[in-house]
Amino acid sequence: MLALLAVPVVGAVVTTVIVTTSAGAEQSDTTGLIQAEAWSGQSGAKTENTGDTGGGKNVGWLANGDWMRYDAIDLGSTGPLTASVRVAAASRAGGTVELHAGSQTGELLASYPVNYTGGWQTWTTKTAVSPTALTGPQTVFVVLKSDQAGDFININWLQFKRTPTATVPGSPTGGTTTKPPTGAPTSAPPPPQTGWPTVDPAKQAADTAAFFARKPKPITNNPVKVPEFNAQCTVSHHNNDDPIVFPGLAGAAHNHTFFGNKTTNAASTTESLFAGATTCNPSGDHSAYWIPTLYQNGKVVDPKGAVTVYYGSRLKDPSKTQPFPLGLRMITGDAKTQTDTPDKQGNHFWCAGIGGATGRTPDGEYPVCAPTAELVRQITFPDCWDGVHLDSPNHKDHMANGDYTGACPKSHPVPIPSVSFVIAYPLNTNTTGITLSSGNGYSMHADFFNAWEPEELARRVRDCLDQGYKCNSAGNF
């Protein structure tokens, strides 16, 4: 956004300077205010109409321990940082609003004591100079603390501003007028993490050579000629963690339904998953799989029975498919997608079984199924790997899809198994009132963190996929 700032210059008239600032473009309006309801994740927050000038929404019913998360909030880079929050409170118990970076207990950006303001729609703005040396895009948490158990505060918006350093045209010296930052670091901050963890190239080359030197098992039992095997995994648990998007940040995500590895949480690593128990058949699959939790009228609806995780190949010649490395992680879909695809064909739930779909919900978002069918969603991951990175900053760029012939692009030349979840829910004729923890049905997405025992995975890929025949969960024809 553009902010107009009047900068005083000694010996000259006041000159208006345009200084560019930014703060979470998807969450900010043209005044730079980060609207409280534009959270990326929350616990305990509800929205309501704001009853004063400007209208809009505010967030209420906030009590001790509640929090809201805002992603990619730009704290700027030059000058002291001031942080403001607009609040209202009818409770006389009072409390504190804290702003933290990175997690609910991360570096404190600002803290504001809040007492009775005169009512739930009687607003006041609290401002503080932040002691942080953090700059640039950050994840910001608003954390509420109070000695009472009940609700104590409403929040309308928050805002971050920097005192600018500006070159002022027409000043007597042609120089700059600045206000130096307070508490600025005396040394350069550590370099940011690249988000591109790599495999050991020598080990990967050796593993690949050993894999293709492996003699496939002779084909028996006249199997179906489809390159495929599967794992059958039941739901293990739910939590608000995401070890791919928010590693180490407990509670930072929307609620997820996990299947496969029983230990998956924000602190999960390749090593912890590999050592963890699994709900999958086969037991050699310790991988972590997760999706946003599905609710109907606010009640959790888990997948019916086991989720089938298919491993296949879409290559014209599947014999070049090789196992993905231990620790590979990837995401498919986008939690921020809240609209249908332009062709109205993708990103949809559907009905499987006799009778199929008999109609749509009033909002058109979900199918209504016949009594003999059930609500199903299939999610498929990319099947071409760059051969170098276990992950990427957006958890997608190290992966790609093959073209219409199944060939991998030159940028991602390594064909790996095509992973696909088929998720059936125990819903058919009544599919109204459905939401996902990430939003509406178009926001469905999925995460995969590979922790297969290498021998078990290699055997299935070589015997089943590379030879082009269908195997069961045990990896047999």
Side-chain angles (χ1 to χ4, degrees):
M1 81 201 151
L2 296 179
L4 297 180
L5 300 173
V7 181
V9 181
V10 177
V13 297
V14 172
T15 305
T16 299
V17 180
I18 298 178
V19 179
T20 302
T21 60
S22 62
E26 293 183 356
Q27 298 162 321
S28 304
D29 61 22
T30 55
T31 65
L33 304 179
I34 302 164
Q35 301 300 326
E37 70 271 18
W39 60 62
S40 300
Q42 58 84 22
S43 175
K46 299 179 183 179
T47 61
E48 63 178 345
N49 291 328
T50 303
D52 72 340
T53 303
K57 298 283 186 180
N58 66 262
V59 175
W61 293 275
L62 296 169
N64 180 53
D66 291 344
W67 56 267
M68 296 170 289
R69 188 189 87 239
Y70 304 87
D71 292 341
I73 301 305
D74 194 339
L75 301 186
S77 59
T78 304
L81 176 69
T82 58
S84 302
V85 60
R86 191 174 193 237
V87 299
S91 169
R92 297 184 183 275
T96 303
V97 178
E98 294 183 353
L99 307 184
H100 292 265
S103 71
Q104 298 167 51
T105 57
E107 182 174 337
L108 185 67
L109 300 177
S111 178
Y112 315 88
V114 177
N115 296 308
Y116 176 75
T117 65
W120 293 118
Q121 293 295 320
T122 304
W123 298 93
T124 185
T125 299
K126 302 277 187 176
T127 300
V129 177
S130 176
T132 187
L134 292 174
T135 60
Q138 302 288 337
T139 295
V140 174
F141 281 79
V142 177
V143 179
L144 293 311
K145 295 184 177 181
S146 177
D147 290 333
Q148 73 164 18
D151 305 331
F152 77 97
I153 192 174
N154 288 352
I155 299 179
N156 193 357
W157 49 255
L158 56 153
Q159 185 179 43
F160 295 93
K161 289 184 177 180
R162 292 272 181 182
T163 303
T165 297
T167 300
V168 184
S171 69
T173 63
T176 60
T177 298
T178 66
K179 291 184 179 179
T182 58
T186 56
S187 60
Q193 296 296 314
T194 66
W196 292 91
T198 60
V199 295
D200 179 327
K203 182 178 184 304
Q204 182 63 32
D207 288 347
T208 299
F211 171 77
F212 285 112
R214 183 187 188 110
K215 186 177 181 179
K217 180 174 65 174
I219 298 167
T220 58
N221 301 325
N222 193 28
V224 175
K225 193 166 178 54
V226 173
E228 178 188 290
F229 63 91
N230 69 75
Q232 300 286 327
C233 308
T234 57
V235 171
S236 55
H237 60 289
H238 306 82
N239 63 37
N240 285 66
D241 292 357
D242 190 323
I244 294 179
V245 178
F246 299 111
L249 301 179
H254 51 251
N255 196 260
H256 286 115
T257 297
F258 292 86
F259 44 100
N261 201 290
K262 296 180 179 180
T263 68
T264 313
N265 60 30
S268 291
T269 63
T270 303
E271 293 75 19
S272 71
L273 293 174
F274 194 72
T278 182
T279 68
C280 291
N281 174 24
S283 60
D285 180 12
H286 304 267
S287 301
Y289 309 98
W290 63 97
I291 55 175
T293 297
L294 185 141
Y295 301 91
Q296 186 174 43
N297 300 319
K299 182 180 179 182
V300 172
V301 180
D302 276 337
K304 177 183 177 181
V307 174
T308 302
V309 182
Y310 288 101
Y311 291 83
S313 174
R314 293 178 288 181
L315 298 176
K316 187 175 182 180
D317 176 10
S319 66
K320 301 301 181 184
T321 306
Q322 66 184 69
F324 20 64
L326 185 63
L328 181 79
R329 44 248 194 219
M330 55 181 168
I331 294 177
T332 187
D334 189 342
K336 295 181 180 180
T337 299
Q338 303 290 328
T339 57
D340 200 355
T341 56
D343 61 5
K344 309 296 182 184
Q345 297 299 310
N347 210 19
H348 287 178
F349 286 76
W350 48 286
C351 296
I354 298 172
T358 61
R360 306 291 296 181
T361 54
D363 59 9
E365 189 176 333
Y366 290 91
V368 176
C369 305
T372 50
E374 57 192 3
L375 190 69
V376 170
R377 187 69 163 82
Q378 184 168 6
I379 310 171
T380 302
F381 290 81
D383 53 357
C384 297
W385 175 46
D386 70 5
V388 178
H389 300 100
L390 294 170
D391 199 359
S392 51
N394 66 359
H395 318 294
K396 295 181 177 182
D397 284 349
H398 60 308
M399 307 299 302
N401 287 302
D403 64 19
Y404 70 96
T405 69
C408 287
K410 292 181 180 179
S411 60
H412 296 75
V414 182
I416 57 172
S418 172
V419 182
S420 179
F421 302 168
V422 177
I423 310 156
Y425 291 93
L427 299 171
N428 44 46
T429 59
N430 180 13
T431 51
T432 58
I434 293 177
T435 59
L436 295 174
S437 58
S438 53
N440 63 29
Y442 307 121
S443 70
M444 177 59 93
H445 55 286
D447 299 57
F448 168 63
F449 197 141
N450 176 43
W452 271 88
E453 293 177 12
E455 168 59 24
E456 290 296 309
L457 180 61
R459 177 172 67 84
R460 288 165 169 80
V461 174
R462 194 64 172 145
D463 293 349
C464 311
L465 302 192
D466 286 3
Q467 296 193 100
Y469 287 95
K470 185 172 184 175
C471 293
N472 57 22
S473 298
N476 298 322
F477 300 120

